[in-house]
Amino acid sequence: MTELTFPAGFRWGTATAAYQIEGAADEDGRTPSIWDTFSRLPGRVRNGDTGDIAADHYHRMREDVALMKDLGVSDYRFSLAWPRVQPTGRGPASPKGLDFYHRLVDELLAADIRPVATLYHWDLPQELEDDGTGGRAGEGGWPRRDTAERFAEYAGLAAGALGDRITTWTTLNEPWCAAFLGYASGVHAPGRTDPAAALRAAHHLNLAHGRAVQALRAVLPASAEVSLTLNLHAVRALTDGEEDRDAARRIDALGNRIFLDPVFHGRLPEDLVRDTAGLTDWSFVRDGDLSVTATPVDSLGINYYSPTVVAAGTCESPSPWPGAEGHVRFVPAPGPRTAMDWPVDAGGLYELLTRLRDELPGVPLLVTENGAAYDDYADPSGEVHDPERIAYLRAHLAVVHRALADGVDVRGYFLWSLLDNFEWAYGYGKRFGIVHVDFASQRRTPKDSARWYADVIARGGLPPAG
């Protein structure tokens, strides 16, 4: 096998999220997010884990940037903690909260690493979730339209403070998860199970994105890159039968086009509206909203881990697929699986990249998350051997290279994740990092995959297998 060389200037990065690594949950004025609250509810997170300390990145930031410098990454994708920057979700920014990000950005730039900031990676200030009509808890959050306006205000504050040094900004990370895992199935914060509210949340997240793009454009230099990151689903019908293909259509509408169509075409998918008519009439979409959601962006980030195989049938309730429960069942894909029990299938990433090439011509793409959790551990010598992760990464980078050869404008690849971290409802039981974290001591140990990725970056491509 020959070496697969990537284009000059290809962005080699890694990625994290604030609540998953920062810790310092109540320091320097940070207030609770919905994940702080959710993780304290009995039975919601494995072992009762919380992000109170996580990987303690707030206090070990310089050590972590040094790890990235050793890897040779050109870019680091991280998220700002909204309740650290704007503790109540309203009003002025917190100088102490911003100070951490000032120091992080300065440290990255000194290491010749481009900072890539995500404004929202699921840590909504709890006060906004509680800010319902009449002050009643449980009626606020993303199902409430005002949250989109609050997000735009926060975006402007963050860009005003950091936009002189951060040149790449992402509004939202995986709004599908925020809307449907948070408000439909309830397995993510805030843990609500209201499918109609979840559909409102999806629209208001799209609206928040558009308003934030406008707020960022008003503050940032014209050269800044403004983006959105979606966890698009590589949806496959189990058979070519009409009912299975209709199941795939439904999931494509709920998983992909509910965001792609408003953001890039200024419209709602007509079949989505029909499929969900029993839940909502979509009257929360007001005149002018879809022109806001379609405010142009400079690139699109794609997060991909595994494909989704569906057939006609039924799925469990409460489900993250409003309106699809009585029509769709999810089928385990064949092949090896990660510690998350997710199938390993790099072909799904190729399917998404080529689809976007055809559907969104002229929109540059970034693979903003890709990686795998395995049950790796430090051996008696202190080494962490993770050959399965290396094989996973190699396979997915190979299809990125193939997509480039087939005319897809892919500008970069961000490996998830730099560090083992708080893996949401799984707590600390799932390890995605290429750097092992002993959470008791906070000791960092680069795994074999970290050394492998550093070699890929140094070469500018994949070495021959063997």
Side-chain angles (χ1 to χ4, degrees):
M1 182 182 290
T2 59
E3 185 161 339
L4 301 180
T5 302
F6 283 69
F10 189 80
R11 296 165 70 170
W12 297 102
T14 188
T16 65
Y19 190 71
Q20 293 181 271
I21 68 164
E22 281 184 4
D26 59 357
E27 291 188 36
D28 295 330
R30 182 190 180 277
T31 58
S33 74
I34 55 175
W35 269 97
D36 293 277
T37 302
F38 181 79
S39 64
R40 284 170 167 73
L41 298 176
R44 295 304 188 108
V45 176
R46 285 190 187 176
N47 301 317
D49 292 340
T50 74
D52 287 0
I53 300 173
D56 198 31
H57 174 71
Y58 193 79
H59 300 112
R60 299 169 187 269
M61 174 268 291
R62 288 185 173 85
E63 177 184 357
D64 294 338
V65 174
L67 287 168
M68 286 183 262
K69 184 175 181 179
D70 288 344
L71 287 172
V73 297
S74 62
D75 292 63
Y76 173 49
R77 176 178 175 257
F78 61 96
S79 74
L80 306 179
W82 188 351
R84 196 180 296 285
V85 172
Q86 192 189 32
T88 66
R90 287 185 173 78
S94 163
K96 287 186 176 180
L98 282 171
D99 182 61
F100 171 72
Y101 298 107
H102 281 299
R103 290 184 284 110
L104 170 61
V105 170
D106 287 347
E107 196 77 12
L108 290 167
L109 293 174
D112 199 26
I113 298 169
R114 179 191 289 115
V116 177
T118 297
L119 286 164
Y120 187 71
H121 200 130
W122 310 348
D123 48 0
L124 184 73
Q126 182 64 41
E127 190 162 323
L128 294 184
E129 176 64 28
D130 291 341
D131 190 20
T133 304
R136 292 186 297 274
E139 295 184 8
W142 288 111
R144 190 173 190 229
R145 186 181 182 89
D146 184 64
T147 303
E149 306 305 323
R150 302 282 67 75
F151 182 70
E153 178 185 71
Y154 154 63
L157 290 173
L162 298 163
D164 59 331
R165 285 158 296 149
I166 299 178
T167 57
T168 303
W169 291 81
T170 300
T171 55
L172 307 173
N173 176 80
E174 299 187 358
W176 183 87
C177 294
F180 296 117
L181 299 182
Y183 294 93
S185 67
V187 298
H188 276 195
R192 289 162 60 180
T193 53
D194 182 342
L199 293 167
R200 292 199 307 274
H203 174 63
H204 293 150
L205 282 155
N206 283 335
L207 186 63
H209 159 74
R211 292 279 191 224
V213 173
Q214 294 172 350
L216 293 170
R217 299 276 192 221
V219 174
L220 295 173
S223 58
E225 177 184 358
V226 178
S227 184
L228 168 70
T229 286
L230 300 175
N231 59 314
L232 296 177
H233 298 73
V235 185
R236 301 170 182 168
L238 180 64
T239 73
D240 196 41
E242 182 178 352
E243 291 185 343
D244 286 358
R245 285 188 286 110
D246 187 64
R249 175 200 61 76
R250 286 176 179 270
I251 297 306
D252 185 62
L254 279 166
N256 297 331
R257 289 181 284 116
I258 192 171
F259 301 108
L260 290 173
D261 282 14
V263 170
F264 291 98
H265 305 298
R267 68 189 183 217
L268 284 173
E270 293 180 3
D271 59 332
L272 171 71
V273 175
R274 289 194 305 270
D275 292 344
T276 56
L279 297 170
T280 180
D281 61 5
W282 291 84
S283 59
F284 49 82
V285 181
R286 299 182 185 175
D287 290 346
D289 281 5
L290 293 173
S291 64
V292 174
T293 63
T295 304
V297 293
D298 300 303
S299 61
L300 174 64
I302 306 303
N303 294 354
Y304 174 81
Y305 294 94
S306 61
T308 302
V309 182
V310 298
T314 60
C315 58
E316 293 181 2
S317 183
S319 158
W321 304 99
E325 294 93 333
H327 304 273
V328 179
R329 66 184 174 95
F330 293 85
V331 181
R337 310 185 85 76
T338 70
M340 299 289 288
D341 199 31
W342 294 348
V344 178
D345 188 334
L349 178 56
Y350 181 80
E351 293 165 21
L352 289 175
L353 293 174
T354 51
R355 169 184 176 170
L356 294 170
R357 173 200 62 195
D358 299 338
E359 292 186 7
L360 303 176
V363 178
L365 306 176
L366 295 162
V367 178
T368 37
E369 284 185 27
N370 179 240
Y374 287 105
D375 295 324
D376 35 47
Y377 56 91
D379 69 15
S381 69
E383 296 288 312
V384 182
H385 305 298
D386 55 345
E388 293 171 308
R389 180 174 291 106
I390 292 171
Y392 179 100
L393 297 172
R394 171 183 284 280
H396 287 77
L397 278 168
V399 302
V400 173
H401 187 272
R402 178 184 169 200
L404 281 162
D406 289 343
V408 183
D409 186 7
V410 188
R411 302 286 179 89
Y413 176 91
F414 291 72
L415 191 158
W416 185 272
S417 176
L418 175 68
L419 303 171
D420 290 336
N421 54 38
F422 176 83
E423 187 49 42
W424 308 114
Y426 293 93
Y428 296 101
K430 304 297 181 183
R431 294 181 176 270
F432 275 90
I434 56 171
V435 174
H436 181 274
V437 178
D438 179 319
F439 292 106
S441 68
Q442 292 295 340
R443 180 181 177 184
R444 274 84 161 128
T445 303
K447 304 176 186 179
D448 287 354
S449 57
R451 288 182 280 272
W452 178 87
Y453 191 47
D455 181 61
V456 168
I457 296 168
R459 291 170 177 266
L462 289 172

